[in-house]
Amino acid sequence: MPRQPSPISAAASAELRELAGAMRDLKDRAGLTFSTLHERVHYSTAALSGAVSGKKLPTWEVTWAFIHGCDPGAEEPVWKARWLAAEEGERRRTEAAAATDPDTAERRPGGGVPRQRRSTVAELVREEVERRQQTTAWSPSEAMTVSTALALCTTAYDFRELLRDLMETQGLSSVDIRANARAKGIVLGRGDVFSVLHSSEIPETEPLHGFLLGCNVGLVRINEWHRTATRIKISQARSAEPAGSETERKRMRAAWNAFWARLSFEAALSMISTILFLTLQLLSLFKHGI
Protein backbone atom coordinates (compact mmCIF):
# COMPACT_ATOMS: atom_id res chain seq x y z
CA MET A 1 0.00 0.00 0.00
CA PRO A 2 1.55 3.38 -1.00
CA ARG A 3 2.57 5.67 1.80
CA GLN A 4 0.12 8.51 2.41
CA PRO A 5 1.64 11.97 1.75
CA SER A 6 2.14 14.29 4.69
CA PRO A 7 -0.30 17.21 5.09
CA ILE A 8 0.39 20.37 3.14
CA SER A 9 2.36 22.86 5.21
CA ALA A 10 0.04 25.15 7.18
CA ALA A 11 2.68 27.90 7.01
CA ALA A 12 2.30 28.21 3.23
CA SER A 13 0.19 30.94 1.64
CA ALA A 14 -3.38 30.08 0.66
CA GLU A 15 -2.38 30.23 -3.01
CA LEU A 16 0.49 27.76 -2.57
CA ARG A 17 -1.70 25.39 -0.56
CA GLU A 18 -4.33 25.50 -3.30
CA LEU A 19 -1.72 24.81 -6.00
CA ALA A 20 -0.23 21.91 -4.03
CA GLY A 21 -3.68 20.46 -3.37
CA ALA A 22 -4.65 20.67 -7.04
CA MET A 23 -1.41 18.93 -8.05
CA ARG A 24 -2.02 16.16 -5.52
CA ASP A 25 -5.55 15.69 -6.86
CA LEU A 26 -4.16 15.46 -10.38
CA LYS A 27 -1.69 12.74 -9.37
CA ASP A 28 -4.35 10.79 -7.47
CA ARG A 29 -6.77 10.90 -10.42
CA ALA A 30 -4.00 9.62 -12.69
CA GLY A 31 -3.39 6.75 -10.24
CA LEU A 32 0.36 7.46 -10.09
CA THR A 33 2.91 7.09 -7.33
CA PHE A 34 5.90 9.38 -7.02
CA SER A 35 8.08 6.52 -8.27
CA THR A 36 6.09 6.02 -11.47
CA LEU A 37 5.89 9.76 -11.99
CA HIS A 38 9.67 9.94 -11.58
CA GLU A 39 10.06 7.47 -14.44
CA ARG A 40 7.91 9.66 -16.67
CA VAL A 41 9.44 13.07 -16.01
CA HIS A 42 12.98 12.23 -14.81
CA TYR A 43 12.87 14.41 -11.71
CA SER A 44 13.76 12.75 -8.42
CA THR A 45 10.98 11.49 -6.17
CA ALA A 46 12.23 13.91 -3.51
CA ALA A 47 11.79 16.88 -5.88
CA LEU A 48 8.33 15.67 -6.92
CA SER A 49 7.09 15.08 -3.38
CA GLY A 50 8.60 18.39 -2.29
CA ALA A 51 6.67 20.15 -5.08
CA VAL A 52 3.36 19.30 -3.37
CA SER A 53 4.49 19.61 0.24
CA GLY A 54 3.72 23.32 0.51
CA LYS A 55 7.03 23.91 2.30
CA LYS A 56 8.26 26.10 -0.56
CA LEU A 57 7.20 27.05 -4.06
CA PRO A 58 8.67 24.64 -6.62
CA THR A 59 10.19 26.07 -9.78
CA TRP A 60 7.89 26.35 -12.76
CA GLU A 61 9.93 23.70 -14.58
CA VAL A 62 9.36 21.13 -11.85
CA THR A 63 5.72 22.17 -11.48
CA TRP A 64 4.94 21.81 -15.17
CA ALA A 65 6.85 18.50 -15.44
CA PHE A 66 4.76 17.17 -12.53
CA ILE A 67 1.47 18.35 -14.10
CA HIS A 68 2.27 17.24 -17.64
CA GLY A 69 3.45 13.87 -16.35
CA CYS A 70 0.10 13.35 -14.62
CA ASP A 71 -2.02 14.76 -17.43
CA PRO A 72 -0.45 15.20 -20.90
CA GLY A 73 -3.54 17.15 -21.96
CA ALA A 74 -3.26 19.76 -19.18
CA GLU A 75 -3.53 23.38 -20.30
CA GLU A 76 -0.23 25.10 -19.58
CA PRO A 77 -1.58 28.72 -19.40
CA VAL A 78 -4.15 27.72 -16.75
CA TRP A 79 -1.56 26.05 -14.54
CA LYS A 80 0.99 28.81 -15.15
CA ALA A 81 -1.56 31.32 -13.85
CA ARG A 82 -2.00 29.20 -10.71
CA TRP A 83 1.76 28.98 -10.25
CA LEU A 84 2.15 32.78 -10.65
CA ALA A 85 -0.62 33.33 -8.11
CA ALA A 86 1.21 31.03 -5.68
CA GLU A 87 4.42 32.95 -6.32
CA GLU A 88 2.64 36.22 -5.53
CA GLY A 89 1.05 34.69 -2.43
CA GLU A 90 4.41 33.51 -1.12
CA ARG A 91 5.92 36.91 -1.79
CA ARG A 92 3.16 38.62 0.21
CA ARG A 93 3.47 36.08 3.03
CA THR A 94 7.26 36.53 3.23
CA GLU A 95 7.03 40.32 3.20
CA ALA A 96 4.29 40.31 5.84
CA ALA A 97 6.43 38.09 8.07
CA ALA A 98 9.43 40.36 7.53
CA ALA A 99 7.39 43.46 8.35
CA THR A 100 6.39 42.02 11.74
CA ASP A 101 9.94 40.92 12.64
CA PRO A 102 12.00 43.85 14.05
CA ASP A 103 15.23 41.92 13.58
CA THR A 104 14.74 41.31 9.86
CA ALA A 105 16.62 44.41 8.75
CA GLU A 106 19.66 43.42 10.83
CA ARG A 107 19.78 39.96 9.27
CA ARG A 108 19.54 41.24 5.69
CA PRO A 109 22.84 41.72 3.81
CA GLY A 110 23.98 45.31 4.26
CA GLY A 111 21.28 45.91 6.86
CA GLY A 112 18.79 46.88 4.16
CA VAL A 113 15.15 47.51 4.96
CA PRO A 114 12.68 45.00 3.46
CA ARG A 115 10.75 46.31 0.47
CA GLN A 116 7.31 47.43 1.58
CA ARG A 117 4.41 46.01 -0.36
CA ARG A 118 1.73 48.30 -1.71
CA SER A 119 -1.11 49.02 0.72
CA THR A 120 -4.46 47.87 -0.58
CA VAL A 121 -7.57 50.05 -0.64
CA ALA A 122 -9.09 47.93 2.12
CA GLU A 123 -6.04 48.44 4.34
CA LEU A 124 -5.98 52.19 3.70
CA VAL A 125 -9.67 52.50 4.57
CA ARG A 126 -9.20 50.48 7.77
CA GLU A 127 -6.24 52.66 8.77
CA GLU A 128 -8.30 55.82 8.21
CA VAL A 129 -11.22 54.40 10.20
CA GLU A 130 -8.90 53.51 13.09
CA ARG A 131 -7.33 56.98 12.98
CA ARG A 132 -10.72 58.70 13.16
CA GLN A 133 -11.94 56.44 15.94
CA GLN A 134 -8.90 57.36 18.02
CA THR A 135 -9.60 61.09 17.68
CA THR A 136 -13.43 61.19 17.58
CA ALA A 137 -16.47 59.18 18.59
CA TRP A 138 -17.13 58.42 14.91
CA SER A 139 -18.06 54.79 14.38
CA PRO A 140 -18.92 53.82 10.80
CA SER A 141 -20.94 50.76 9.93
CA GLU A 142 -19.36 47.87 8.07
CA ALA A 143 -21.53 48.70 5.05
CA MET A 144 -20.21 52.27 5.03
CA THR A 145 -16.63 51.03 5.18
CA VAL A 146 -17.17 48.65 2.26
CA SER A 147 -18.92 51.37 0.25
CA THR A 148 -16.01 53.73 0.83
CA ALA A 149 -13.48 51.09 -0.22
CA LEU A 150 -15.46 50.32 -3.39
CA ALA A 151 -15.73 54.02 -4.23
CA LEU A 152 -11.93 54.32 -3.99
CA CYS A 153 -11.30 51.33 -6.29
CA THR A 154 -9.69 52.43 -9.54
CA THR A 155 -7.93 49.30 -10.82
CA ALA A 156 -8.50 45.57 -11.18
CA TYR A 157 -5.77 45.09 -8.54
CA ASP A 158 -7.72 47.17 -6.01
CA PHE A 159 -10.92 45.28 -6.77
CA ARG A 160 -9.24 41.86 -6.48
CA GLU A 161 -7.65 42.78 -3.15
CA LEU A 162 -11.05 43.85 -1.81
CA LEU A 163 -12.46 40.46 -2.81
CA ARG A 164 -9.62 38.70 -0.98
CA ASP A 165 -10.17 40.92 2.05
CA LEU A 166 -13.88 40.06 1.98
CA MET A 167 -13.07 36.33 1.91
CA GLU A 168 -10.55 36.64 4.78
CA THR A 169 -12.88 38.83 6.87
CA GLN A 170 -15.64 36.25 6.55
CA GLY A 171 -13.17 33.49 7.45
CA LEU A 172 -14.18 31.46 4.40
CA SER A 173 -12.25 29.03 2.23
CA SER A 174 -12.90 28.51 -1.48
CA VAL A 175 -14.74 25.29 -0.57
CA ASP A 176 -17.01 27.23 1.83
CA ILE A 177 -17.76 29.84 -0.82
CA ARG A 178 -18.68 27.23 -3.41
CA ALA A 179 -20.92 25.42 -0.90
CA ASN A 180 -22.68 28.66 0.12
CA ALA A 181 -23.23 29.64 -3.51
CA ARG A 182 -24.59 26.17 -4.33
CA ALA A 183 -27.06 26.47 -1.46
CA LYS A 184 -28.32 29.69 -3.07
CA GLY A 185 -28.71 28.13 -6.51
CA ILE A 186 -25.37 29.15 -8.10
CA VAL A 187 -22.84 26.52 -9.15
CA LEU A 188 -19.24 27.70 -8.90
CA GLY A 189 -16.34 25.57 -10.04
CA ARG A 190 -12.93 25.64 -8.38
CA GLY A 191 -11.64 27.43 -11.46
CA ASP A 192 -14.34 30.11 -11.08
CA VAL A 193 -13.24 31.00 -7.54
CA PHE A 194 -9.61 30.95 -8.64
CA SER A 195 -10.26 33.30 -11.58
CA VAL A 196 -12.22 35.73 -9.41
CA LEU A 197 -9.37 35.99 -6.90
CA HIS A 198 -6.34 35.76 -9.16
CA SER A 199 -7.20 36.94 -12.68
CA SER A 200 -5.46 40.16 -13.72
CA GLU A 201 -8.77 41.43 -15.13
CA ILE A 202 -12.06 42.38 -13.49
CA PRO A 203 -14.04 39.13 -12.93
CA GLU A 204 -16.86 38.24 -15.28
CA THR A 205 -20.34 39.08 -14.00
CA GLU A 206 -21.65 35.56 -13.29
CA PRO A 207 -18.62 34.18 -11.37
CA LEU A 208 -18.41 37.45 -9.43
CA HIS A 209 -22.11 37.26 -8.52
CA GLY A 210 -21.75 33.66 -7.35
CA PHE A 211 -18.60 34.49 -5.36
CA LEU A 212 -20.32 37.37 -3.56
CA LEU A 213 -23.34 35.21 -2.75
CA GLY A 214 -20.93 32.58 -1.44
CA CYS A 215 -19.42 35.25 0.84
CA ASN A 216 -22.94 35.95 2.20
CA VAL A 217 -23.12 39.45 0.71
CA GLY A 218 -26.66 40.83 0.46
CA LEU A 219 -28.22 41.66 -2.90
CA VAL A 220 -28.07 45.43 -2.31
CA ARG A 221 -24.33 45.25 -1.64
CA ILE A 222 -23.83 42.84 -4.54
CA ASN A 223 -25.23 45.49 -6.88
CA GLU A 224 -22.72 47.95 -5.46
CA TRP A 225 -19.88 45.52 -6.25
CA HIS A 226 -21.20 45.08 -9.81
CA ARG A 227 -21.42 48.85 -10.34
CA THR A 228 -17.82 49.23 -9.21
CA ALA A 229 -16.69 46.44 -11.54
CA THR A 230 -18.50 48.08 -14.47
CA ARG A 231 -16.99 51.49 -13.67
CA ILE A 232 -13.45 50.08 -13.65
CA LYS A 233 -14.05 48.18 -16.91
CA ILE A 234 -15.27 51.37 -18.59
CA SER A 235 -12.30 53.31 -17.26
CA GLN A 236 -9.89 50.67 -18.55
CA ALA A 237 -11.55 50.64 -21.96
CA ARG A 238 -11.31 54.41 -22.26
CA SER A 239 -7.65 54.54 -21.26
CA ALA A 240 -6.73 51.66 -23.56
CA GLU A 241 -8.46 53.06 -26.64
CA PRO A 242 -7.73 56.72 -27.60
CA ALA A 243 -10.68 58.78 -28.80
CA GLY A 244 -10.87 59.12 -32.57
CA SER A 245 -8.75 56.04 -33.23
CA GLU A 246 -9.44 53.74 -36.14
CA THR A 247 -10.56 51.07 -33.67
CA GLU A 248 -13.08 53.50 -32.16
CA ARG A 249 -14.47 54.39 -35.58
CA LYS A 250 -14.82 50.71 -36.49
CA ARG A 251 -16.59 50.05 -33.21
CA MET A 252 -19.03 52.91 -33.84
CA ARG A 253 -19.73 51.70 -37.37
CA ALA A 254 -20.33 48.17 -36.10
CA ALA A 255 -22.72 49.47 -33.44
CA TRP A 256 -24.59 51.55 -36.05
CA ASN A 257 -24.87 48.57 -38.42
CA ALA A 258 -26.08 46.36 -35.59
CA PHE A 259 -28.72 48.94 -34.70
CA TRP A 260 -30.11 49.01 -38.22
CA ALA A 261 -29.95 45.23 -38.48
CA ARG A 262 -32.17 44.90 -35.39
CA LEU A 263 -34.62 47.53 -36.57
CA SER A 264 -37.73 46.01 -38.15
CA PHE A 265 -39.12 47.23 -41.50
CA GLU A 266 -42.23 48.66 -39.85
CA ALA A 267 -40.20 50.52 -37.23
CA ALA A 268 -37.87 51.92 -39.91
CA LEU A 269 -40.85 53.06 -42.04
CA SER A 270 -42.45 54.69 -39.00
CA MET A 271 -39.21 56.51 -38.16
CA ILE A 272 -38.79 57.79 -41.75
CA SER A 273 -42.42 58.95 -41.83
CA THR A 274 -41.93 60.83 -38.59
CA ILE A 275 -38.80 62.56 -39.90
CA LEU A 276 -40.59 63.57 -43.13
CA PHE A 277 -43.58 64.90 -41.18
CA LEU A 278 -41.35 67.01 -38.93
CA THR A 279 -39.45 68.31 -41.95
CA LEU A 280 -42.68 69.38 -43.67
CA GLN A 281 -43.84 71.07 -40.48
CA LEU A 282 -40.60 73.06 -40.24
CA LEU A 283 -40.83 74.09 -43.90
CA SER A 284 -44.40 75.24 -43.36
CA LEU A 285 -43.37 77.34 -40.37
CA PHE A 286 -40.56 79.02 -42.30
CA LYS A 287 -42.83 79.62 -45.32
CA HIS A 288 -45.46 81.45 -43.27
CA GLY A 289 -42.85 83.30 -41.25
CA ILE A 290 -43.97 81.89 -37.95
Side-chain angles (χ1 to χ4, degrees), residues 161-222:
E161 289 299 311
L162 277 184
L163 289 171
R164 290 178 177 172
D165 185 75
L166 172 65
M167 179 177 175
E168 293 172 3
T169 301
Q170 296 288 337
L172 299 170
S173 67
S174 60
V175 175
D176 296 330
I177 291 173
R178 290 165 59 198
N180 291 343
R182 191 182 305 112
K184 296 173 183 177
I186 302 294
V187 177
L188 282 178
R190 180 183 295 176
D192 292 328
V193 175
F194 182 86
S195 67
V196 167
L197 292 174
H198 304 298
S199 173
S200 59
E201 303 296 333
I202 291 291
E204 295 298 325
T205 301
E206 292 184 7
L208 174 61
H209 193 82
F211 181 90
L212 294 170
L213 281 176
C215 288
N216 301 315
V217 178
L219 290 178
V220 173
R221 293 299 164 201
I222 285 179

Side-chain angles (χ1 to χ4, degrees), residues 218-262:
L219 290 178
V220 173
R221 293 299 164 201
I222 285 179
N223 289 335
E224 194 170 359
W225 282 88
H226 283 308
R227 286 196 298 271
T228 302
T230 301
R231 172 172 55 80
I232 296 174
K233 285 181 180 179
I234 293 172
S235 176
Q236 289 176 336
R238 285 176 175 171
S239 61
E241 188 174 288
S245 66
E246 182 62 25
T247 303
E248 174 69 13
R249 286 193 291 272
K250 288 180 179 178
R251 186 178 66 80
M252 292 298 293
R253 281 198 299 270
W256 179 253
N257 292 336
F259 168 75
W260 279 106
R262 290 194 300 268

